[in-house]
């Protein structure tokens, strides 16, 4: 059970604090109103994040913040937002919650950031959720599919971003039912909130008895032979994967060695084909991953306008780093923050930034608009299906939306790239 902590009430003003407040107002009038807002000056807006640049999650996710920085460099080259340059402070937490607490406190108390943007990981970000909300720091676009970030009553400053694992699991379950009717569906998942919540999502689509076998793994154990053997023995024809990319490759490779060839369907956290090629190799990956199904909520189809824009930004500002799903994710997060900052006004405050998101006017660049409102901080509630064919991962045009316990098909609504790809009011 998660402990709920409400924001701390403001202390009553005394004569001394009233005097200090008056002095602060006088100084603000002399130096510009934006100086009263943490992280905002006349020339800059400073935001921060915690990321696994080292540690067990680095191989899969360390490139995200570099992609976000590259997009901000692109925006800054166009003049920034309302004339301010975006400064992005990235702190390495090694995917360790204790480290996350330390670096996030540094961001808030020493670096004086305007907001924390795209902090990565369920266990890591959970460790700072109360702290950020108690200090009224906008906590935007948490990089995790946990449903914990959508609790605006308890955590009014926190906003999710990813399609959560219920959405992704429901989309994969419904696609399995639509395209593989009557086949035995099973699941291999990480033994934590990620795997469990994805399972719940699949069961939303297929019913509680719709998953014939469910195996879990520990991230500390690089051997899934027993789990794959159990799934093979259960006669699984479709295997949904609640895995990170490294364990997706491990599962597929282990199954191939055992002569087990189900249809694989992965959550977005473990379904990025370019990353999987890095694990499996350029010769094996196209063979082992032919027909590989995954879910995504961002525009990652080859040849699309967003991929063209982000590829150009990647080439110019990211030292030609490999272009993959992390690139699209990191730059899409950057785009959404710029959209929110532009709508927060010429002299943004933390309150106006939250209000901009809750207005519903910030839509992002996904397959469907973000679902933000005063009562909904979840992020994306729609996800599309991608399939690998001859070494190319692309959308197949099937998009699912989860509304409560109901899964429906819908049409993608990807916004067009306008101008230089820098959103304005």
């Amino acid at each position: 059970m998660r402990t709920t902590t409400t924001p701390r009430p403001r202390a009553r003003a005394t004569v001394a604090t009233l005097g200090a407040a008056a002095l602060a107002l006088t100084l603000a009038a002399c130096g510009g109103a934006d100086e009263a807002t943490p992280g905002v000056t006349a020339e800059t807006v400073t935001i921060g994040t915690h990321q696994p640049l080292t540690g067990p999650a680095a191989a899969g996710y360390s490139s995200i913040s570099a992609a976000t920085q590259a997009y901000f460099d692109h925006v800054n080259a166009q003049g920034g937002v309302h004339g301010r340059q975006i400064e992005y402070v990235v702190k390495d937490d090694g995917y360790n919650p204790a480290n996350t607490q330390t670096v996030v406190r540094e961001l808030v108390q020493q670096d004086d950031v305007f907001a924390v943007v795209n902090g990565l990981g369920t266990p890591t970000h959970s460790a700072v959720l109360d702290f950020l909300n108690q200090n009224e720091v906008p906590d935007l676009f948490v990089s995790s599919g946990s449903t914990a970030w959508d609790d605006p009553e308890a955590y009014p400053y926190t906003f999710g971003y990813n399609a959560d694992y219920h959405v992704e699991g429901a989309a994969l379950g419904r696609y399995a039912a639509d395209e593989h009717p009557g086949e035995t569906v099973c699941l291999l998942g990480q033994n934590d909130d990620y795997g469990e919540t994805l399972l719940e999502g699949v069961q939303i689509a297929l019913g509680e008895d719709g998953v014939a076998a469910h195996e879990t793994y520990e991230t500390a154990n690089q051997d899934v032979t027993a789990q794959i053997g159990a799934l093979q023995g259960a006669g699984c024809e479709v295997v949904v994967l609640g895995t990170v990319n490294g364990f997706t490759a491990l599962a597929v490779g282990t199954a191939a060695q055992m002569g087990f060839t189900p249809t694989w369907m992965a959550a977005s956290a473990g379904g990025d084909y370019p990353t999987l090629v890095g694990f499996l190799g350029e010769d094996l990956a196209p063979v082992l991953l032919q027909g590989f199904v995954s879910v995504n909520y961002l525009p990652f189809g080859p040849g699309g306008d967003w991929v063209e824009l982000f590829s150009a930004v990647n080439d110019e500002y990211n030292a030609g780093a490999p272009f993959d799903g992390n690139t699209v994710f990191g730059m899409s997060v950057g785009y959404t923050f710029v959209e929110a900052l532009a709508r927060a006004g010429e002299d943004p405050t933390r309150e106006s930034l939250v209000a901009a998101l809750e207005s519903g006017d910030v839509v992002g660049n996904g397959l469907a608009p973000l679902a933000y409102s005063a009562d909904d901080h979840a992020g994306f509630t729609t996800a599309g299906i991608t399939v690998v064919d001859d070494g190319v991962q692309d959308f197949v045009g099937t998009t699912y939306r989860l509304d409560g316990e109901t899964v429906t098909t819908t049409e993608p609504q990807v916004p067009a790239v306008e101008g230089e790809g820098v959103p304005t009011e």
Side-chain angles (χ1 to χ4, degrees):
M1 181 179 294
R2 188 180 66 222
T3 301
T4 299
T5 304
T6 55
R8 293 178 297 188
R10 296 182 184 274
R12 288 182 182 151
T14 63
V15 173
T17 56
L18 286 172
L23 177 60
L25 288 172
T26 302
L27 292 174
C30 295
D34 56 350
E35 291 181 3
T37 299
V40 178
T41 72
E43 294 82 24
T44 62
V45 173
T46 301
I47 60 176
T49 190
H50 63 88
Q51 297 288 319
L53 303 183
T54 59
Y61 304 115
S62 62
S63 62
I64 291 174
S65 56
T68 305
Q69 179 64 68
Y71 178 76
F72 288 153
D73 289 343
H74 171 70
V75 171
N76 289 340
Q78 314 303 315
V81 180
H82 295 306
R84 294 182 180 88
Q85 301 283 288
I86 299 173
E87 296 185 349
Y88 193 41
V89 182
V90 180
K91 301 269 188 177
D92 179 19
D93 66 3
Y95 205 67
N96 181 319
N99 294 344
T100 308
Q101 290 180 325
T102 298
V103 300
V104 169
R105 285 183 181 276
E106 290 175 357
L107 288 170
V108 173
Q109 296 173 344
Q110 298 177 23
D111 299 305
D112 206 30
V113 297
F114 178 52
V116 169
V117 177
N118 204 222
L120 189 144
T122 301
T124 46
H125 200 75
S126 295
V128 295
L129 190 58
D130 287 326
F131 171 77
L132 290 171
N133 280 270
Q134 287 168 356
N135 285 275
E136 301 181 349
V137 180
D139 176 23
L140 310 185
F141 320 143
V142 183
S143 184
S144 154
S146 172
T147 57
W149 324 128
D150 179 24
D151 192 352
E153 183 175 350
Y155 301 113
Y157 287 86
T158 296
F159 292 79
Y161 181 77
N162 308 35
D164 68 43
Y165 302 135
H166 280 161
V167 173
E168 293 200 355
L172 291 170
R174 177 66 182 273
Y175 184 76
D178 290 347
E179 299 298 323
H180 299 270
E183 295 190 11
T184 303
V185 178
C186 304
L187 187 141
L188 172 65
Q190 201 161 284
N191 190 20
D192 59 12
D193 177 74
Y194 171 24
E196 189 62 34
T197 310
L198 190 75
L199 172 64
E200 293 170 358
V202 176
Q203 290 173 329
I204 289 173
L206 300 181
E208 290 189 7
D209 298 328
V211 178
H214 170 217
E215 293 292 321
T216 63
Y217 69 90
E218 301 288 344
T219 56
N221 185 356
Q222 299 283 318
D223 185 356
V224 294
T225 303
Q227 292 91 329
I228 296 299
L231 295 173
Q232 185 177 24
C236 302
E237 297 168 283
V238 174
V239 176
V240 178
L241 296 170
T243 52
V244 294
N245 286 308
F247 275 87
T248 299
L250 183 63
V252 171
T254 300
Q257 292 176 337
M258 299 171 65
F260 179 42
T261 57
T263 298
W264 300 102
M265 297 187 178
S268 62
D272 181 52
Y273 181 74
T275 302
L276 294 174
V277 171
F279 284 106
L280 294 169
E282 294 185 1
D283 294 331
L284 276 180
V287 177
L288 297 182
L289 296 176
Q290 175 64 22
F292 176 83
V293 177
S294 185
V295 63
N296 206 334
Y297 46 91
L298 294 173
F300 189 41
D305 290 345
W306 288 100
V307 168
E308 182 179 348
L309 168 68
F310 291 156
S311 293
V313 172
N314 194 59
D315 289 341
E316 184 168 359
Y317 296 105
N318 202 16
F323 188 89
D324 57 20
N326 283 346
T327 316
V328 174
F329 179 81
M331 293 193 185
S332 296
V333 165
Y335 174 88
T336 306
F337 176 73
V338 170
E339 187 181 4
L341 184 61
R343 293 186 179 279
E346 293 188 5
D347 291 307
T349 64
R350 287 171 166 174
E351 290 73 20
S352 72
L353 182 63
V354 169
L357 290 167
E358 290 188 337
S359 72
D361 293 333
V362 176
V363 298
N365 66 325
L367 301 186
L370 288 156
Y372 297 143
S373 70
D375 300 319
D376 192 339
H377 287 191
F380 291 107
T381 58
T382 298
I385 299 295
T386 68
V387 176
V388 174
D389 185 29
D390 290 332
V392 177
Q393 185 175 39
D394 199 4
F395 288 103
V396 295
T398 306
T399 305
Y400 297 104
R401 173 181 171 80
L402 179 62
D403 187 4
E405 298 288 305
T406 303
V407 189
T408 57
T409 57
T410 185
E411 292 297 318
Q413 303 175 53
V414 182
V417 176
E418 297 183 357
E420 298 294 328
V422 179
T424 57
E425 288 184 85

